[in-house]
Amino acid sequence: MGNRCVIVGGAEIGQYARLRTLLRRDDDFFFCDCGLRHAKPLGVEPTLIVGDFDSYPRPNCKVETIVLPREKDDTDTAFAAKEALRRGYREVLLLGAVGQRLDHTLGNVYLLLWLARRGVRARLVDDYSEMELIGREGAEISDGFAYFSLLNITGRASGITVTGAKYPLADAEISSEYQYGISNEVQPGGTARVSVARGELLLVKVYGAADSGNGGGYGALG
């Protein structure tokens, strides 16, 4: 299947205009429970609706709807991700997946890992940032982002190279016990490049200005 699957969860969205610029004409949209309230502001129609409808009225429409039990192992968003994989999507964009519930947010961040391990390219975007898992294939970051951070959510990552940034790295290691890769900056007018020889890292590209007084920034190896 060539289309991308956009999974829309129920977390708050404030920057609808920004998110609309990320959408494609051929995207398919899976809406999860109260994520349906985002359909009109995003200007899209559901391809599939899933949920236990504990936080939103069950819709009465012709769109394919999967009603889930309220007592289950998967969140509605996790079920939607599994359904996207089952239907053959190779690219997934997660929206409305970062909110006040830290447990749900972390679960959705780890969906990036779950999908990547199954050969699906996935990205999670909220009002403030874009997140994706990177490895040997690496990634580029433009200076249009205020900051970028590298976080280890899998245990260990080594052979990390960062170029074109305020804090470069060469053959470095970041473990989940010590997250020193926070708040790096792309050199003005340039492009930063990141690659990981062994393991994976969560790349977080931050849209807006952040408080740079909270530490972080590769000081140990910069």
Side-chain angles (χ1 to χ4, degrees):
M1 182 174 294
N3 294 7
R4 180 178 64 173
C5 179
V6 179
I7 298 174
V8 184
E12 293 292 332
I13 294 176
Q15 301 293 331
Y16 286 109
R18 175 183 285 155
L19 296 187
R20 284 196 296 267
T21 67
L22 304 177
L23 304 180
R24 304 171 184 166
R25 291 182 179 275
D26 63 347
D27 282 336
D28 291 330
F29 294 89
F30 288 12
F31 282 87
C32 305
D33 208 305
C34 67
L36 272 170
R37 63 197 170 104
H38 300 311
K40 187 174 181 180
L42 288 173
V44 299
E45 296 292 332
T47 305
L48 175 70
I49 300 169
V50 303
D52 54 22
F53 303 105
D54 61 350
S55 58
Y56 198 81
R58 179 176 173 180
N60 182 17
C61 60
K62 295 182 179 180
V63 177
E64 181 184 1
T65 301
I66 300 176
V67 180
L68 304 173
R70 294 191 176 183
E71 295 183 358
K72 57 187 183 303
D73 291 334
D74 292 329
T75 64
D76 296 339
T77 307
F79 181 90
K82 289 184 175 181
E83 190 65 15
L85 179 68
R86 189 185 72 81
R87 297 185 183 211
Y89 292 93
R90 310 312 300 171
E91 186 176 1
V92 168
L93 173 64
L94 288 157
L95 306 177
V98 175
Q100 295 180 348
R101 287 280 302 270
L102 180 61
D103 50 351
H104 278 269
T105 295
L106 288 175
N108 291 335
V109 168
Y110 271 92
L111 284 177
L112 298 177
L113 176 61
W114 187 88
L115 288 164
R117 293 284 172 84
R118 288 155 180 81
V120 179
R121 181 183 177 189
R123 185 165 54 137
L124 191 160
V125 179
D126 64 8
D127 287 342
Y128 307 102
S129 63
E130 300 181 8
M131 307 179 211
E132 61 183 303
L133 206 68
I134 61 169
R136 294 182 65 88
E137 74 286 356
E140 295 186 346
I141 306 102
S142 75
D143 68 343
F145 292 95
Y147 298 96
F148 71 92
S149 296
L150 297 170
L151 299 169
N152 193 318
I153 64 172
T154 63
R156 287 195 176 277
S158 59
I160 302 165
T161 299
V162 178
T163 60
K166 183 176 182 179
Y167 303 105
L169 288 176
D171 196 27
E173 180 176 314
I174 297 177
S175 69
S176 57
E177 292 87 0
Y178 179 36
Q179 304 283 3
Y180 67 88
I182 297 174
S183 293
N184 206 339
E185 301 174 37
V186 181
Q187 293 287 6
T191 300
R193 293 173 176 81
V194 180
S195 63
V196 185
R198 294 169 294 279
E200 298 146 316
L201 290 174
L202 179 69
L203 169 63
V204 183
K205 298 182 288 187
V206 181
Y207 290 129
D211 179 6
S212 59
N214 291 330
Y218 299 76
L221 296 175

